[in-house]
Amino acid sequence: MDLSFLFQADSPVFTWVVLPLLIFLARISDQTIGTMRLIFLSKGHKLLAPFLGFFEVIIWLIAVSQIMKHLDNVLCYIAYGGGFAMGNYIGMVIEEKLSLGNVLIRIIPRKDTSELIRYLRENNYGVTSVNAEGSKGKVDIVFTIIKRKDIENVVGIINQFNPNAFYTIEDVKAINEGIFKKPRKTTIFDSLSFGIKKIK
């Protein structure tokens, strides 16, 4: 079956279906790359960010040039806007899956922190605690800087030893030295051990 008519510039199918679809896909691509570029830039990846920026602007120019050639085509505008929104979303999802960079977790527990601190240190997380004055009296503030991919695990530990603790999570652009958990392969025994401790 000959589908060449779909790509003929004067074809109504190309003008009202294929072209808006191509603009939509191009906008998704360039905006996804753009979102990733900004994320890499904020994480200090000074070489990767400009590399992505090159492809981002090339794709953007292609999409805009087609918009300029078809100013009377409303579907092109809709496709352009839809691709922009979708590209932002996809970029954020990819960044979340990649779990790049480090974060600072600041914990203000509601009860004694000794067990929480001990467990975090036993699992090779660097922990710093300071005494402070809260609205209801003296409290201990616990700080730990971890890899973003470890957030779920550390939050689980916090909830295990100090349920309802107040904590904040903030991005850290750069770090110098410190103690960080060494990556290792998890086994089924780790999951069982954590589950048993959680039940206790």
Side-chain angles (χ1 to χ4, degrees), residues 52-87:
L52 292 175
F54 172 81
F55 292 99
E56 175 193 356
V57 75
I58 292 295
I59 297 171
W60 179 81
L61 284 172
I62 293 172
V64 169
S65 67
Q66 291 304 313
I67 290 283
M68 294 297 104
K69 290 179 182 177
H70 301 85
L71 293 174
D72 59 338
N73 190 336
V74 178
L75 288 180
C76 288
Y77 295 104
I78 296 173
Y80 188 88
F84 177 87
M86 184 62 71

Side-chain angles (χ1 to χ4, degrees), residues 106-122:
R106 182 188 295 105
I107 312 157
I108 304 178
R110 296 184 182 274
K111 61 180 185 179
D112 180 55
T113 60
S114 57
E115 286 296 311
L116 172 62
I117 293 173
R118 180 188 59 78
Y119 189 83
L120 287 171
R121 286 176 175 161
E122 284 179 355

